[in-house]
Amino acid sequence: MSPKLLLIFFIILSYAGVFFVFRKRSLSLLVGMEYLLLGFLFSLVDIEIDSLKPLLFPFLGWIGFLTGSQLKLKYVLRLDKKFYLSVILFTVLLTGTITVVLSALLSAEHAVLIAIALVPISYRTVAQFITEDRFVLFFIGIIPFLAMLLLLLFYFVRLTMDSLLLMVIFILVFSIISRFILTHLDDKKSINLLLVGLIIFISESCAVLGLSSLVVNFCVGIYIANFCPYRDIIFSALYKDEKQLYIMFLLLLGMFAGIRLEPAVFLNSLLIILVVLCCKYLFLKITYFQLQSHHWFYFLAPGGFAITLATDFWLFEGGARASAWFSSFLVSVISLQCISVLMSKSYEV
Amino acid sequence: MKYKISILINLSNILLISCIFYVISRHVVHLPSFQTISPYLSLGFLIVSAYLAGSIAKSLGLPSLTGYLAAGILFGPSLLGFISEPDIVSLGLINSLALSFIAITAGGELRFKSIKKNILPILGITCSHSVIIFSGIFVVFWILFTSTSLIPIPDSTTALCFALFLGVLALANSPASTIAIISEYKAKGDFTDIVLSVTMLKDTIVLIGFALVMGFATGLTEGTTFSLPFLMQILGHLALSCCAGLLYGFLMILFFKFIAKEISIFIIIASFIAHEFAHFVGLEHMLMCLIAGITVQNFSRQGNMMIEAIEESHLPIYVVFFSIAGASLNFSFFRTAFLLIMLFVIIRIVLILASTYLGSKLTAGPPTVQKYSWTGFVANAGLALSMLIIIDNTFSGWGPVFKAIVISAIALNQILGPILFKYGIVRTSEVRKT
């Protein structure tokens, strides 16, 4: 059977499978991880889909653009400095601590990256249990932006001077052009189409030039959010399809990345989980961050954004199928998500 | 003045984005050719540039479709070469999806009520087209090929095959263009219904006619005889496609009735599955999707739900489909066979005009239909292009020359067709959106 037809068949099967297995049993708090699992399952089927791998870049680009387009500087500058300091300290110190411990297990590069990726806390999971504490929700909502900035810093250190210059130039050029094109729209209804075209173009350009599609689109998104007159329309057009986007992204990622079924991978995952559990427990108990009033396991789930951050680097490295570090990372994320959801649910009951 | 500024801005946007694409593909990474770049980069570039070109066309009072096609032609392999031929082949998946989507849309637009109301003009125009256009083109070009040296044709058998295939190809239309224009201007009325119904009906006739001529031409060149079982095989194949379409349509109705969620996404996935399935079992996917669309529209109450969902998601499909279609048009033979191409285009238009007038006059069609409906039958692309590929593959001696010449003629028809059709629907006042 045609691989394309099989791919579509898998997608339909996933939707149906998730509905009957997870949703009917009210196990929907895995925020998309079930699609990643199904992707792993389908990756075991021997079909040739590598030609479709470049499709992952626009997905990353879309998520980057969406994240960036939420960052409006005029609101950010209005916030309390104390609050900033506590979020920044939480993110940076937690990342640093996890990095130091993980360096004993993995290469320094992968340790830093996994630490950056595991610091964000799934907003959707937390919002299911904590509904009224605005401070906590806002605190969690800011962390992904800081993680993105840390990733940007990570690339700045890792890239050569030429690549860095190229990245800065392209961020500037794409930002100005996107703003110019999106400002002179004839028909506001067609904004979706233009956004799709621009994001595919920017993301694939980054892939060709060896730049991070997530980071470049994030920066373009920030520029659009602050300097484009149609920023609100753009944001709602992007946000409208967020759920579908994550579902497709996780499913495709599972299929393309696959998983290495080796004891070493699972041992590494176990150690990563333990490190994250210990570090997060310690940090969440510090009174300065004002998160200790809620149970710490609410904050364990890293969510889909964590996977996005690591995927960007995995693709940046060449996107090898069943890569050891990436498999360990994905297993850890799924496990942390499950631990968080199950413990939170049992606590609620 | 406002339009002039809008055109200038869009032009400068196209120029900017082209410069970036050029720099990325040629200079920065020093790639040996465009072939090593992901086709999705070309896709992103095509979407943005085609959309902007569509806006320019709109500002000039032309259909957006003309702009999409123009962007494809400009950046395609035959002019600037920004989009390479391997890219077009790689994007074939999106193209085939779009074709099935368009066929479902076309089927969804065909309502038995309106067909019944205009059944006589529809049949009259279809019959007169089938007879006059086919025989007119065949006779004129057979005489031209045998008595003049317009193009070097080795023998009378080849001349006969050439003329026969030209006759069939002249009859073909472009349902995709027709649907795109109707959707863009939200046209509704007798004129629109008649043009759409005749286009669909004619495409079925073209499929049968092409299979018959193909059998005849193969028999002539290989020395075999044309047989009745062969004809039965073709008709059986078409009937099977219709049955599959009917079944598929009922499956779609079940979805609309019991699930009815994410309908736009469902229609896109359904189009894709239909294409892949038809390809897998060897059925006519356009016919299958068309029948599926007709089934949903006429055998359920969910027809309007389907059309509304299609209207939500049609723009990206049209932009991608027509810009890729533009990029795949080849003008390389335009200079060498200029006279022949121009003759074919002009004679075809004259025959369309005459046969449409005759067909609608004899069946007492509405005056607007008699006067303007010919404008809806000029465009021809999708079906004619796929038939050309079959001719090219079957007749290795003269097939490639024939394909190269006719593609240039199709390109001209495809540029002229949408402009004329837009003129037609404006003149008949069936436009609901300006």
Side-chain angles (χ1 to χ4, degrees):
Chain A
M1 201 185 273
S2 145
K4 293 170 225 152
L5 198 59
L6 261 180
L7 190 71
I8 292 291
F9 177 69
F10 286 156
I11 292 172
I12 296 169
L13 206 69
S14 314
Y15 269 85
V18 168
F19 179 76
F20 287 112
V21 179
F22 293 89
R23 301 274 187 270
K24 281 214 161 180
R25 286 166 179 75
S26 303
L27 283 169
S28 55
L29 291 176
L30 294 174
V31 282
M33 295 303 141
E34 54 267 37
Y35 291 99
L36 188 64
L37 284 169
L38 284 164
F40 287 150
L41 196 68
F42 298 143
S43 74
L44 302 174
V45 182
D46 191 25
I47 53 165
E48 181 49 55
I49 49 163
D50 274 356
S51 60
L52 298 173
K53 207 177 193 172
L55 277 177
L56 282 177
F57 293 104
F59 277 106
L60 286 178
W62 192 287
I63 295 167
F65 205 106
L66 177 64
T67 314
S69 63
Q70 293 172 61
L71 204 67
K72 286 178 185 159
L73 294 173
K74 69 173 177 186
Y75 297 123
V76 171
L77 294 172
R78 265 190 228 159
L79 292 170
D80 182 28
K81 277 181 191 164
K82 240 183 166 181
F83 173 77
Y84 271 131
L85 195 65
S86 68
V87 185
I88 292 170
L89 276 177
F90 178 83
T91 312
V92 174
L93 291 177
L94 187 58
T95 310
T97 318
I98 297 176
T99 305
V100 171
V101 186
L102 283 183
S103 303
L105 286 173
L106 305 156
S107 67
E109 207 172 52
H110 291 147
V112 176
L113 189 93
I114 290 178
I116 294 173
L118 289 176
V119 166
I121 297 161
S122 168
Y123 187 88
R124 281 187 186 221
T125 310
V126 175
Q128 297 283 334
F129 302 105
I130 304 168
T131 45
E132 283 168 5
D133 195 338
R134 280 187 164 195
F135 172 84
V136 169
L137 290 174
F138 199 60
F139 191 97
I140 291 162
I142 297 285
I143 298 174
F145 298 105
L146 294 172
M148 275 300 297
L149 291 175
L150 286 175
L151 185 74
L152 187 66
L153 212 66
F154 171 75
Y155 282 124
F156 267 57
V157 175
R158 197 188 177 277
L159 288 172
T160 59
M161 200 58 202
D162 284 351
S163 305
L164 204 64
L165 202 67
L166 194 68
M167 190 155 115
V168 174
I169 291 171
F170 267 85
I171 288 173
L172 279 174
V173 169
F174 282 133
S175 301
I176 294 164
I177 286 183
S178 303
R179 192 213 161 213
F180 194 55
I181 291 176
L182 290 167
T183 308
H184 296 101
L185 267 178
D186 290 342
D187 182 8
K188 309 279 176 301
K189 281 181 190 166
S190 51
I191 203 156
N192 257 334
L193 171 70
L194 213 49
L195 278 172
V196 169
L198 276 171
I199 290 171
I200 295 177
F201 184 60
I202 298 172
S203 309
E204 295 296 342
S205 302
C206 291
V208 170
L209 299 167
L211 304 173
S212 158
S213 158
L214 183 73
V215 168
V216 172
N217 275 289
F218 173 71
C219 298
V220 175
I222 294 176
Y223 187 83
I224 294 293
N226 292 285
F227 300 104
C228 183
Y230 301 131
R231 50 186 159 245
D232 295 329
I233 304 173
I234 292 170
F235 174 71
S236 41
L238 286 165
Y239 187 70
K240 195 179 68 182
D241 300 320
E242 194 202 19
K243 192 182 152 200
Q244 308 296 340
L245 187 81
Y246 264 109
I247 288 175
M248 291 297 292
F249 167 66
L250 292 171
L251 190 66
L252 286 175
L253 178 68
M255 289 176 80
F256 293 129
I259 193 154
R260 186 179 283 199
L261 299 165
E262 279 176 10
V265 168
F266 291 98
L267 189 70
N268 270 354
S269 310
L270 194 69
L271 293 169
I272 293 172
I273 295 165
L274 282 175
V275 170
V276 174
L277 282 176
C278 295
C279 293
K280 279 203 175 174
Y281 178 78
L282 282 175
F283 275 81
L284 290 163
K285 291 291 169 193
I286 298 172
T287 41
Y288 174 71
F289 299 123
Q290 298 175 52
L291 298 169
Q292 80 284 5
S293 53
H294 300 281
H295 280 278
W296 69 284
F297 39 72
Y298 288 160
F299 304 98
L300 282 180
F305 192 72
I307 295 176
T308 313
L309 291 169
T311 305
D312 191 59
F313 187 68
W314 171 68
L315 282 172
F316 192 76
E317 273 190 334
R321 201 175 171 84
S323 135
W325 78 268
F326 196 54
S327 292
S328 306
F329 169 78
L330 291 175
V331 172
S332 326
V333 172
I334 295 170
S335 312
L336 282 168
Q337 194 79 34
C338 290
I339 293 168
S340 173
V341 171
L342 290 173
M343 286 179 77
S344 306
K345 271 214 152 186
S346 59
Y347 176 77
E348 288 284 301
V349 171
Chain B
M1 190 64 188
K2 196 185 163 193
Y3 285 114
K4 278 182 191 169
I5 293 170
S6 159
I7 291 169
L8 271 175
I9 289 170
N10 283 323
L11 268 176
S12 54
N13 280 340
I14 292 181
L15 198 70
L16 269 172
I17 208 112
S18 317
C19 286
I20 295 179
F21 185 77
Y22 188 79
V23 169
I24 291 170
S25 347
R26 289 274 166 98
H27 289 270
V28 176
V29 278
H30 303 293
L31 290 168
S33 70
F34 274 38
Q35 293 172 19
T36 41
I37 296 174
S38 154
Y40 303 109
L41 174 63
S42 307
L43 177 70
F45 170 69
L46 257 186
I47 292 176
V48 178
S49 53
Y51 173 81
L52 295 171
S55 300
I56 295 174
K58 225 173 170 181
S59 306
L60 291 169
L62 298 171
S64 308
L65 165 59
T66 310
Y68 309 151
L69 277 168
I73 294 169
L74 181 71
F75 297 115
S78 51
L79 281 177
L80 292 177
F82 278 32
I83 312 294
S84 67
E85 269 170 25
D87 278 354
I88 297 169
V89 175
S90 306
L91 297 173
L93 170 73
I94 299 167
N95 223 15
S96 40
L97 185 151
L99 260 179
S100 306
F101 179 88
I102 290 165
I104 291 180
T105 315
E109 295 283 358
L110 286 176
R111 291 171 177 89
F112 285 163
K113 258 187 201 166
S114 26
I115 295 177
K116 212 172 156 186
K117 193 177 140 200
N118 295 306
I119 189 77
L120 281 177
I122 291 170
L123 289 177
I125 296 172
T126 310
C127 291
S128 65
H129 271 206
S130 308
V131 176
I132 296 171
I133 298 174
F134 174 74
S135 49
I137 292 279
F138 168 66
V139 171
V140 170
F141 281 90
W142 194 35
I143 293 169
L144 276 174
F145 290 148
T146 47
S147 57
T148 62
S149 55
L150 206 62
I151 54 161
I153 288 180
D155 49 64
S156 59
T157 313
T158 313
L160 184 66
C161 295
F162 241 81
L164 276 171
F165 277 120
L166 276 182
V168 178
L169 290 171
L171 200 56
N173 284 140
S174 169
S177 307
T178 313
I179 281 292
I181 297 289
I182 291 173
S183 306
E184 185 178 345
Y185 294 100
K186 297 195 182 295
K188 209 172 185 179
D190 287 344
F191 169 81
T192 311
D193 286 340
I194 290 172
V195 170
L196 189 62
S197 308
V198 173
T199 305
M200 295 304 162
L201 214 58
K202 259 172 68 187
D203 265 11
T204 319
I205 291 171
V206 168
L207 279 174
I208 301 169
F210 179 71
L212 292 175
V213 171
M214 195 71 188
F216 181 73
T218 319
L220 270 181
T221 46
E222 289 173 6
T224 52
T225 48
F226 183 74
S227 60
L228 189 69
F230 179 72
L231 178 67
M232 293 310 289
Q233 196 186 331
I234 296 161
L235 292 176
H237 176 72
L238 292 176
L240 211 64
S241 305
C242 288
C243 290
L246 201 70
L247 197 71
Y248 200 65
F250 281 115
L251 285 176
M252 284 173 75
I253 292 173
L254 284 181
F255 174 87
F256 289 130
K257 245 183 179 171
F258 297 109
I259 302 173
K261 275 180 188 166
E262 307 286 356
I263 299 171
S264 306
I265 295 174
F266 167 76
I267 293 169
I268 293 172
I269 292 178
S271 310
F272 183 77
I273 293 173
H275 176 267
E276 288 292 309
F277 174 76
H279 189 69
F280 186 62
V281 295
L283 296 173
E284 287 296 330
H285 81 275
M286 283 285 278
L287 191 60
M288 185 181 145
C289 292
L290 177 78
I291 299 291
I294 293 176
T295 310
V296 176
Q297 181 59 262
N298 297 288
F299 296 108
S300 75
R301 286 177 188 169
Q302 280 75 26
N304 286 340
M305 186 201 276
M306 182 178 79
I307 291 295
E308 275 167 24
I310 284 172
E311 278 174 3
E312 258 178 43
S313 52
H314 70 219
L315 186 66
I317 306 263
Y318 291 155
V319 170
V320 174
F321 176 75
F322 287 106
S323 54
I324 295 174
S328 50
L329 292 175
N330 193 341
F331 287 92
S332 54
F333 260 72
F334 197 73
R335 268 191 203 164
T336 25
F338 177 75
L339 197 64
L340 180 73
I341 292 163
M342 289 314 287
L343 263 177
F344 177 71
V345 172
I346 293 166
I347 295 173
R348 181 174 174 269
I349 292 178
V350 172
L351 288 172
I352 287 172
L353 204 152
S355 56
T356 310
Y357 181 76
L358 195 72
S360 49
K361 184 90 184 162
L362 288 176
T363 51
T368 50
V369 173
Q370 289 178 26
K371 214 170 169 185
Y372 299 111
S373 64
W374 66 275
T375 56
F377 306 116
V378 176
N380 77 340
L383 190 60
L385 284 172
S386 37
M387 289 193 293
L388 275 178
I389 293 164
I390 300 171
I391 295 170
D392 182 23
N393 293 337
T394 317
F395 306 100
S396 52
W398 51 268
V401 180
F402 182 81
K403 185 187 160 196
I405 293 169
V406 179
I407 276 189
S408 301
I410 288 174
L412 273 184
N413 286 331
Q414 191 59 1
I415 294 167
L416 279 174
I419 301 171
L420 286 171
F421 188 35
K422 188 229 160 177
Y423 169 78
I425 52 173
V426 169
R427 298 294 293 183
T428 51
S429 311
E430 291 194 359
V431 178
R432 286 192 294 153
K433 181 191 170 191
T434 50

